[in-house]
Amino acid sequence: MYPKTNSAGRKTTRTLMAIGLIAALFSCTTQKEEGEATSNERPNIIFIMSDDHAYQAISAYSDKLIQTPNIDRIANEGMLFEKAFVSNSICAPSRAVILTGKHSHMNGLVDNAVKFDSTQMTFPKILRENGYQTAMIGKWHLKTAPTGFDYWKVLPGQGHYYNPEFRTENGTVLDSGYVTDLITDFAIDWLEGAKKEDKPFMLMYQHKAPHREWLPTEENFREYTTKEFPEPASLFDDYSGRGTAAKEAEMRIATHMGVTSDNKIHPDIAEKMRYENFLTWYPNAYHNNLDRMSKTERAAWEAVYGPINEEFEQADLRGEELTKWKYQRYMQDYLASIASVDENVGRLLDYLEENGLAENTIIVYTSDQGFYLGEHGWFDKRFMYEESFRTPLMIKWPGVIKEGSRNTDLVQNLDFAETFLDAAGVEIPKEMQGKSMLPLLKGEQVEWRDALYYHYYEYPGIHAVKRHNGVRTDRYKLIHFYYDVDEWELYDLEKDPHEMNNVYEDPAYAEVKAQMHQKLDELVDQYQDKVVVPSK
């Protein structure tokens, strides 16, 4: 499955595939006969991360929206984490936390406007210093050049879906093709060289998809634009059970999602029908995205989206009917973009298996944060509410992780760096703030954390999600919204898993509230976060 032919003409013939497979099998057999490949070898590490991939859109978690058989392979052959979370639900800060093993206030990258300090310690640098080959391919999004890598090829900023540019040490290059396919092509190309070296490798293989504005491939948009998806129960949430922050956030599908850039309606049609663009750049984004396509790609796109535009113009939808339509269009393109990620993850997994590389390789699949798929009427992320705070996580490591296992401990993106260093037998720097998940991967019964700390900073800013920090235990969540407000929210996740009713002022929860305030104080002190004083 792993070879891919795209519009750039990146072709791998069946003959070359067969030769490569025979050579790999011969090499693998020879290694085992000579006693070189043993369980004591340091593992290879492949860290697969997509952008904005909601756990609700992975069939290993739920099959209500999509089937993701290849991503599911990692869970089926390894461990699925049911309570994995982030420390700051926004792209660049999440990536900085993963690299450094430190919270945003400690690594310095608190929001998307800040540049990453690439001189600081990261786990790729440490692995490289300890004999690993290291590579970073795909979405970087940290404004500075990657450091700590033998090889890197990354998208500038958010990158583009069609015919994207890539930054390299030698400058920026334009590649023809679809971004998810290209990132996988480059990853496999690098692995071809890495497997020949007599030392382990660490590859960060990171996708742009399914980040906004969700432009799928022809194969997938032809399929998914014919599908209809179930609406979440809270699609028309009125936020009556919460405070100012939820009411004032600007990420509602009804009023803040663009019918042009997001739902792919031509700006001329939207203007004629007097559909307002919430942000002035929406029409430009529509043109910038579609104008990158080749004539062939654009013709295929218009063959499907042209009739959608015509039907939309004739329907003249308003109010709730428009919101329902926008939700379906959102899901069609978002999930179609994920379908391509799943296909390409399958290509990479097949390559590893067919080249004798799967046996001693840790494979991680995750996202930089969660995402709203219409819950509370929203798209995007940022909040400490579950759909944004929680992220998918599955890890495969043959011979170490029991196949088909599930974990319910509170883990966080703060823990990746420590886990990789521990697995590689490298000392974990004391300044890192997370915990190695290695005991959990081995199925050991260990004392683990009982609470997670969260802090979001990007306000004022796009989507207008107010600054907040908070603590989550296995059952409860306490959130403090601050800066231009001073509001508290407390949720009983056992009784109210969708966080519809704030019980902070409920006398029945007085003792719980006091305990959660104490726990929040403890975590603020533990992680040395003195930006705000959270407790009353």
Side-chain angles (χ1 to χ4, degrees), residues 99 257 325 353 356 374 477:
L99 287 168
M257 177 175 278
W325 180 90
E353 292 173 1
K477 183 185 296 181

PDB file of all heavy atoms in Angstrom, residues 99 257 325 353 356 374 477:
ATOM      1  N   LEU A  99       7.988  19.114  22.515  1.00  0.00           N
ATOM      2  CA  LEU A  99       9.440  19.111  22.291  1.00  0.00           C
ATOM      3  C   LEU A  99      10.232  19.251  23.583  1.00  0.00           C
ATOM      4  O   LEU A  99      11.277  18.609  23.753  1.00  0.00           O
ATOM      5  CB  LEU A  99       9.819  20.247  21.346  1.00  0.00           C
ATOM      6  CG  LEU A  99       9.437  20.067  19.878  1.00  0.00           C
ATOM      7  CD1 LEU A  99       9.612  21.383  19.135  1.00  0.00           C
ATOM      8  CD2 LEU A  99      10.276  18.969  19.222  1.00  0.00           C
ATOM      9  N   MET A 257     -18.357  30.631  11.353  1.00  0.00           N
ATOM     10  CA  MET A 257     -17.788  29.825  10.271  1.00  0.00           C
ATOM     11  C   MET A 257     -18.140  30.475   8.933  1.00  0.00           C
ATOM     12  O   MET A 257     -19.276  30.907   8.725  1.00  0.00           O
ATOM     13  CB  MET A 257     -18.322  28.394  10.332  1.00  0.00           C
ATOM     14  CG  MET A 257     -17.848  27.498   9.205  1.00  0.00           C
ATOM     15  SD  MET A 257     -18.399  25.776   9.421  1.00  0.00           S
ATOM     16  CE  MET A 257     -17.148  25.178  10.554  1.00  0.00           C
ATOM     17  N   TRP A 325     -26.937  23.012   7.581  1.00  0.00           N
ATOM     18  CA  TRP A 325     -26.241  22.818   6.301  1.00  0.00           C
ATOM     19  C   TRP A 325     -24.742  23.042   6.474  1.00  0.00           C
ATOM     20  O   TRP A 325     -23.924  22.266   5.979  1.00  0.00           O
ATOM     21  CB  TRP A 325     -26.807  23.783   5.261  1.00  0.00           C
ATOM     22  CG  TRP A 325     -26.146  23.661   3.916  1.00  0.00           C
ATOM     23  CD1 TRP A 325     -26.511  22.849   2.895  1.00  0.00           C
ATOM     24  CD2 TRP A 325     -24.986  24.387   3.462  1.00  0.00           C
ATOM     25  NE1 TRP A 325     -25.650  23.008   1.828  1.00  0.00           N
ATOM     26  CE2 TRP A 325     -24.715  23.941   2.152  1.00  0.00           C
ATOM     27  CE3 TRP A 325     -24.174  25.356   4.033  1.00  0.00           C
ATOM     28  CZ2 TRP A 325     -23.642  24.442   1.412  1.00  0.00           C
ATOM     29  CZ3 TRP A 325     -23.112  25.858   3.298  1.00  0.00           C
ATOM     30  CH2 TRP A 325     -22.857  25.395   1.989  1.00  0.00           C
ATOM     31  N   GLU A 353       6.470  -2.475   8.035  1.00  0.00           N
ATOM     32  CA  GLU A 353       6.328  -3.928   8.112  1.00  0.00           C
ATOM     33  C   GLU A 353       7.070  -4.615   6.976  1.00  0.00           C
ATOM     34  O   GLU A 353       7.747  -5.638   7.180  1.00  0.00           O
ATOM     35  CB  GLU A 353       4.845  -4.299   8.099  1.00  0.00           C
ATOM     36  CG  GLU A 353       4.106  -3.876   9.364  1.00  0.00           C
ATOM     37  CD  GLU A 353       2.610  -4.099   9.277  1.00  0.00           C
ATOM     38  OE1 GLU A 353       2.143  -4.602   8.226  1.00  0.00           O
ATOM     39  OE2 GLU A 353       1.907  -3.764  10.252  1.00  0.00           O
ATOM     40  N   GLY A 356      11.002  -4.649   7.507  1.00  0.00           N
ATOM     41  CA  GLY A 356      11.580  -5.187   8.732  1.00  0.00           C
ATOM     42  C   GLY A 356      11.840  -4.154   9.801  1.00  0.00           C
ATOM     43  O   GLY A 356      12.706  -4.354  10.659  1.00  0.00           O
ATOM     44  N   GLY A 374     -18.903  20.402  16.241  1.00  0.00           N
ATOM     45  CA  GLY A 374     -20.286  20.831  16.413  1.00  0.00           C
ATOM     46  C   GLY A 374     -20.774  20.801  17.841  1.00  0.00           C
ATOM     47  O   GLY A 374     -21.851  21.350  18.134  1.00  0.00           O
ATOM     48  N   LYS A 477     -13.654  18.941  37.273  1.00  0.00           N
ATOM     49  CA  LYS A 477     -12.859  19.943  36.563  1.00  0.00           C
ATOM     50  C   LYS A 477     -13.197  21.331  37.103  1.00  0.00           C
ATOM     51  O   LYS A 477     -14.367  21.709  37.190  1.00  0.00           O
ATOM     52  CB  LYS A 477     -13.149  19.894  35.068  1.00  0.00           C
ATOM     53  CG  LYS A 477     -12.314  20.865  34.230  1.00  0.00           C
ATOM     54  CD  LYS A 477     -12.738  20.847  32.774  1.00  0.00           C
ATOM     55  CE  LYS A 477     -12.481  19.505  32.138  1.00  0.00           C
ATOM     56  NZ  LYS A 477     -12.877  19.474  30.704  1.00  0.00           N
TER      57      LYS A 477
END
